[in-house]
Amino acid sequence: MQHTRSTYYWSTTLTLDNVKKQFLSEHNIDRLYVRYFDVVTDKSGQPMPNATIHFASKIPKDIEVVPTIYITNECMTHGISDLPEKILGRILQMNATNGIENVKEIQIDCDWTLRTQKSYFAFLNCLRHMARQKEICLSVTIRLHQLSQTPPPADRGVLMMYNTGDFTDIHCKRPILDMHDVTPYLKNISNYGLPLSTAYPIFQWKLLYRGGKYVGIIHHDEELPILPGDSIVERIPSLNDILNAKNAISEIRSDANDEIILFDINNNNILRFKQNEYEKIYNH
């Protein structure tokens, strides 16, 4: 069985510097899930693209690109009849403009709910049909709590093995990945009705609390005003957290680890673990 090594790229500028190039080469990365743009609602409630990526570097020809679109759940509460056509057209235009060839798959990331399920599934059905006419398949992200729901109409899913706890609670020590939170959901994975890959976290959060109450995530210095008495805490999944999650998946549904995806590739995340530690994550 050929195992696929993949990673997400979730920044607004795609720059492959030496650190990233070395990571891609050292670990024989096959596939890059690149967030092309978000879809959010404007002031009138209409879906519109936002935070479109700028390609400052060329992606190596031997790495498959999967354009990935994050759509807010709110978009699914509005009129979206023309959204599949607009999204696919925008992806194809960006591929052509940036010389990205042989795209075989696109991915939609949406934290849909039971309230928006009907609208979201109709959107996916339409997008999947249009993509198939271009010989492109459709994948979707699957959050742990969605494993108990009807699978979306897609060709396959990516199980997001992260964001398992409440990061707004200062007492939640492992909000990114805690097997105590994960385990109750895993009973639904063995019979889940989509082919699955699994994404594991290599990112960290720097969280700001004021008087014990959550204020926000600090992405860079001076982003949020920090007052005397504020608390800044870092939440980072350990290598053992990731390996324990991977082993738990393998025991219940090993094919979900035939492709392992890391979220996400930036220099801080790449340098978080050593090369041999990344190999432990990717190896079977």
Side-chain angles (χ1 to χ4, degrees):
M1 174 69 199
Q2 175 65 39
H3 296 296
T4 304
R5 295 169 165 224
S6 307
T7 180
Y8 279 98
Y9 194 105
W10 212 262
S11 304
T12 51
T13 301
L14 191 138
T15 305
L16 297 184
D17 58 13
N18 289 335
V19 172
K20 295 187 191 75
K21 285 179 180 176
Q22 184 175 351
F23 180 88
L24 296 172
S25 174
E26 279 182 346
H27 300 290
N28 301 306
I29 302 302
D30 305 293
R31 188 176 290 157
L32 209 54
Y33 293 79
V34 180
R35 189 207 61 86
Y36 270 36
F37 53 90
D38 301 339
V39 180
V40 301
T41 51
D42 62 16
K43 290 179 181 177
S44 67
Q46 293 304 306
M48 60 171 288
N50 184 51
T52 300
I53 195 169
H54 166 65
F55 288 87
S57 299
K58 293 286 187 184
I59 297 174
K61 293 291 186 185
D62 59 341
I63 294 179
E64 179 188 352
V65 174
V66 179
T68 302
I69 313 301
Y70 172 73
I71 302 178
T72 65
N73 188 45
E74 186 185 0
C75 289
M76 293 299 135
T77 64
H78 299 275
I80 54 169
S81 58
D82 60 347
L83 193 58
E85 184 178 5
K86 285 182 176 178
I87 285 177
L88 183 59
R90 187 176 175 86
I91 291 170
L92 296 176
Q93 181 186 30
M94 289 175 66
N95 289 344
T97 301
N98 296 286
I100 297 169
E101 301 173 349
N102 302 318
V103 167
K104 304 171 194 155
E105 176 183 335
I106 58 176
Q107 185 170 109
I108 298 296
D109 177 22
C110 180
D111 192 5
W112 55 275
T113 61
L114 288 175
R115 186 170 70 94
T116 57
Q117 176 179 320
K118 184 177 179 181
S119 176
Y120 179 55
F121 283 21
F123 158 78
L124 290 177
N125 268 321
C126 185
L127 179 60
R128 187 184 188 192
H129 176 72
M130 291 179 176
R132 276 183 170 172
Q133 293 178 328
K134 304 287 185 182
E135 299 183 332
I136 296 172
C137 73
L138 176 67
S139 63
V140 291
T141 56
I142 306 294
R143 287 156 176 80
L144 283 162
H145 69 87
Q146 294 168 345
L147 285 171
S148 62
Q149 312 295 345
T150 302
D155 296 297
R156 64 187 201 93
V158 171
L159 179 62
M160 298 166 63
M161 188 61 87
Y162 46 87
N163 298 5
T164 61
D166 181 6
F167 61 84
T168 67
D169 180 359
I170 195 170
H171 301 295
C172 182
K173 303 298 184 187
R174 300 159 84 184
I176 294 177
L177 178 57
D178 188 338
M179 285 308 296
H180 179 76
D181 297 322
V182 169
T183 301
Y185 296 105
L186 293 186
K187 66 179 184 294
N188 298 308
I189 194 176
S190 57
N191 296 316
Y192 192 71
L194 278 180
L196 289 174
S197 303
T198 308
Y200 297 95
I202 57 170
F203 61 90
Q204 74 168 46
W205 280 329
K206 189 183 286 187
L207 304 170
L208 178 64
Y209 299 90
R210 183 166 299 142
K213 302 293 186 183
Y214 172 75
V215 177
I217 299 176
I218 302 173
H219 296 99
H220 48 78
D221 293 341
E222 300 179 6
E223 182 180 16
L224 294 171
I226 298 170
L227 306 180
D230 284 357
S231 301
I232 299 174
V233 298
E234 291 188 346
R235 302 300 190 214
I236 308 171
S238 70
L239 179 64
N240 280 339
D241 290 334
I242 298 168
L243 295 179
N244 287 340
K246 188 183 91 165
N247 291 338
I249 292 290
S250 289
E251 287 177 11
I252 302 170
R253 186 168 168 172
S254 61
D255 62 296
N257 279 330
D258 286 344
E259 178 188 21
I260 287 174
I261 314 168
L262 299 184
F263 188 94
D264 70 312
I265 184 174
N266 67 42
N267 289 10
N268 287 336
N269 294 345
I270 287 171
L271 299 173
R272 184 150 294 123
F273 298 114
K274 299 182 178 71
Q275 181 192 7
N276 69 312
E277 292 175 326
Y278 279 116
E279 283 300 301
K280 287 179 181 178
I281 299 172
Y282 275 127
N283 279 336
H284 286 71

